[in-house]
Structures are given as structure tokens and as C-alpha cells.
């Protein structure tokens, strides 16, 4: 089955430090990939997406992700973590008329 | 307006009750979705409507009954639920391109359901 893998359910990062969340996909065809964020007691909000074209994708709140076909990866980064970045982050790929989500990363920001 | 609204925000119901969840969007989207999300887990797709017709049912038990009265509204009727059905129920919508549902999905805030 075509899917995405997110490693490490909990990610702790110091305020001001780099945020790096890893996402790898399995697919024999070019995938459509998304990163969503979910704040406590809220729905999911789209951070960014990759469909075609530029492999470095910029999203909201200072996040960006780079599509690397050779590594089958779509890692999410933010240069400097803020306390407001504490949330659950989901990588997802589109296929078979639906989104398939990774297991998610719970990001904790340490002051 | 890029908002998907869901009511109620919270719902507590007994196993013999009948209740409904409502979802509304005014973005002109022609695809609407119901997801179920358990704590610390990703959303699980339940149903997809495209142009007010049910296009995907992920083998959801019949105690969950979806309805799409028009292009802006999506309901989920609940009857004889079990305690394990307690979860956050998310609604989403997206544009619909011929042959596939690829565009970003906009999610509502969800209804927190507790079955007692």
C-alpha cells in the first residue's frame, strides 16, 4: 500500500532551535504530499503541500519542506521554534482518492 | 470564507440515543468528508461525498449514517453507538477535479463525541 512514514512520535525542541520532522513515502509514482498541523482540541490545518514543480515548498508560520525523490522524503523544517509551534504534525499523501496520514509527531517546545 | 463549521462542539450520548452531527461549508467545494480521530492517532477516513453523492464508504458500521442534503451541508446520523465510538469526528471539504479528489482539504474543528 502506498503510505507515508513518520518516525519518532514525540519530538522535543528548544525554543529558538531548528524544528525537523521527517516524512518518507513509499510510492512508485510521483506522490502528492501534504503537511498538516493540529493544535489541541482543534481540527487539522494545512501547512504546505507538494504536487508538482518546485521541490522546496514554503508554507505558513515559517515552515518549509523539501521534496527529495532520490530519498523518497518530504521532511518539514522551521529554522527557529516558537512556543506556539507545540502541536501534532501529520504528513499525508494523496492516493486512491483519499489522504493517507502518517502516525503523527507530537512536538513539545522547551522554553 | 475558508471555514468549515461543525456543530455541536461536544456531544455526550447514551448507547440507545439517536443524535446527529452537522457540518457546513460555503467555499463552493463539491467534495465533503467525515473522519474519525482517536486520541494521539491520525484521522481515519469514514465517508466521502462528491457532488452530493456518496463515493467512498470505508466499511463503516451502519450505526453511522451519512447524509448530504445539499452541496454546503453534511450530516452524520448516529444510532446505537458503542463506547468505543467515542472520538473526535472531523468534517472536511475540498474542491473536486474530474476523476480525482486532489486538492487540499479544509478541516472543521471537530465534534468531541462521548458515548456512555
Amino acid at each position: 500500500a502506498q503510505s507515508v512514514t513518520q518516525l519518532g512520535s514525540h519530538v522535543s525542541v528548544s525554543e529558538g532551535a531548528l524544528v525537523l520532522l521527517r516524512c518518507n513515502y513509499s510510492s512508485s509514482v510521483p506522490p502528492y504530499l501534504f503537511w498538516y498541523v493540529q493544535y489541541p482540541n482543534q481540527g487539522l490545518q494545512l501547512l504546505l503541500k507538494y504536487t508538482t514543480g518546485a521541490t522546496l515548498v514554503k508554507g505558513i508560520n515559517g515552515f518549509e519542506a523539501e521534496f527529495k525523490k532520490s530519498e523518497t522524503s518530504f521532511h518539514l523544517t522551521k529554522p527557529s521554534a516558537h512556543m506556539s509551534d507545540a502541536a501534532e504534525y501529520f504528513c499525508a499523501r494523496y492516493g486512491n482518492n483519499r489522504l493517507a496520514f502518517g502516525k503523527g509527531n507530537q512536538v513539545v517546545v522547551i522554553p | 470564507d475558508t471555514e468549515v463549521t461543525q456543530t455541536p462542539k461536544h456531544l455526550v450520548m447514551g448507547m440507545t440515543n439517536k443524535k446527529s452531527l452537522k457540518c457546513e461549508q460555503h467555499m463552493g467545494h463539491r467534495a465533503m468528508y467525515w473522519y474519525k480521530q482517536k486520541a494521539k492517532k491520525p484521522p481515519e477516513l469514514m465517508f466521502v461525498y462528491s457532488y452530493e453523492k456518496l463515493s467512498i464508504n470505508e466499511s463503516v458500521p451502519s450505526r453511522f449514517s451519512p447524509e448530504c442534503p445539499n452541496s454546503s451541508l453534511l450530516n452524520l446520523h448516529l444510532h446505537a453507538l458503542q463506547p468505543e465510538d467515542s472520538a473526535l469526528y472531523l468534517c472536511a471539504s475540498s474542491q473536486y477535479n474530474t476523476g480525482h479528489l486532489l486538492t487540499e482539504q479544509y478541516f472543521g474543528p471537530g465534534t468531541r463525541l462521548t458515548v456512555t
Side-chain angles (χ1 to χ4, degrees):
Chain A
Q2 298 174 334
S3 63
V4 292
T5 301
Q6 292 180 251
L7 296 177
S9 59
H10 282 77
V11 176
S12 293
V13 59
S14 297
E15 189 176 15
L18 172 72
V19 179
L20 170 60
L21 302 179
R22 300 178 188 275
C23 176
N24 289 88
Y25 66 90
S26 62
S27 175
S28 59
V29 297
Y32 299 112
L33 297 165
F34 304 81
W35 275 100
Y36 281 88
V37 62
Q38 186 175 30
Y39 298 102
N41 299 313
Q42 294 188 28
L44 277 69
Q45 181 181 12
L46 180 69
L47 279 175
L48 47 80
K49 65 177 180 179
Y50 171 79
T51 52
T52 57
T55 56
L56 182 61
V57 181
K58 294 188 183 301
I60 62 171
N61 301 341
F63 284 93
E64 64 181 35
E66 186 171 9
F67 173 72
K68 291 187 176 180
K69 186 178 179 181
S70 61
E71 299 177 8
T72 62
S73 69
F74 190 56
H75 301 334
L76 181 72
T77 61
K78 181 174 180 178
S80 177
H82 191 272
M83 296 300 294
S84 61
D85 295 325
E88 187 88 22
Y89 292 79
F90 294 100
C91 181
R93 75 175 302 278
Y94 176 83
N96 195 24
N97 284 330
R98 68 204 69 202
L99 281 178
F101 289 93
K103 292 186 176 180
N105 291 120
Q106 181 71 51
V107 172
V108 175
V109 182
I110 303 167
Chain B
D1 181 8
T2 59
E3 189 179 22
V4 176
T5 59
Q6 290 187 244
T7 55
K9 203 175 179 66
H10 300 276
L11 178 62
V12 179
M13 59 185 292
M15 289 189 284
T16 59
N17 291 159
K18 285 185 181 180
K19 297 286 184 183
S20 297
L21 309 185
K22 296 185 185 301
C23 173
E24 191 167 3
Q25 56 89 14
H26 294 288
M27 294 178 278
H29 291 168
R30 302 310 296 270
M32 296 186 76
Y33 312 75
W34 279 117
Y35 289 87
K36 174 183 178 180
Q37 187 180 27
K38 302 285 270 185
K40 307 299 182 187
K41 298 290 186 183
E44 298 173 10
L45 183 65
M46 300 174 72
F47 303 104
V48 181
Y49 274 83
S50 49
Y51 285 89
E52 296 92 70
K53 293 194 187 318
L54 184 65
S55 56
I56 295 176
N57 177 343
E58 293 285 73
S59 302
V60 179
S62 59
R63 58 185 183 269
F64 295 91
S65 176
E67 178 195 22
C68 191
N70 60 55
S71 61
S72 300
L73 291 174
L74 185 66
N75 298 320
L76 186 62
H77 303 298
L78 315 172
H79 174 55
L81 294 193
Q82 303 297 309
E84 59 264 28
D85 296 322
S86 298
L88 181 68
Y89 288 84
L90 294 164
C91 174
S93 70
S94 72
Q95 295 176 10
Y96 181 82
N97 295 325
T98 302
H100 60 83
L101 294 164
L102 173 62
T103 60
E104 59 259 43
Q105 295 182 18
Y106 292 82
F107 284 80
T111 293
R112 178 76 60 188
L113 175 67
T114 302
V115 181
T116 61

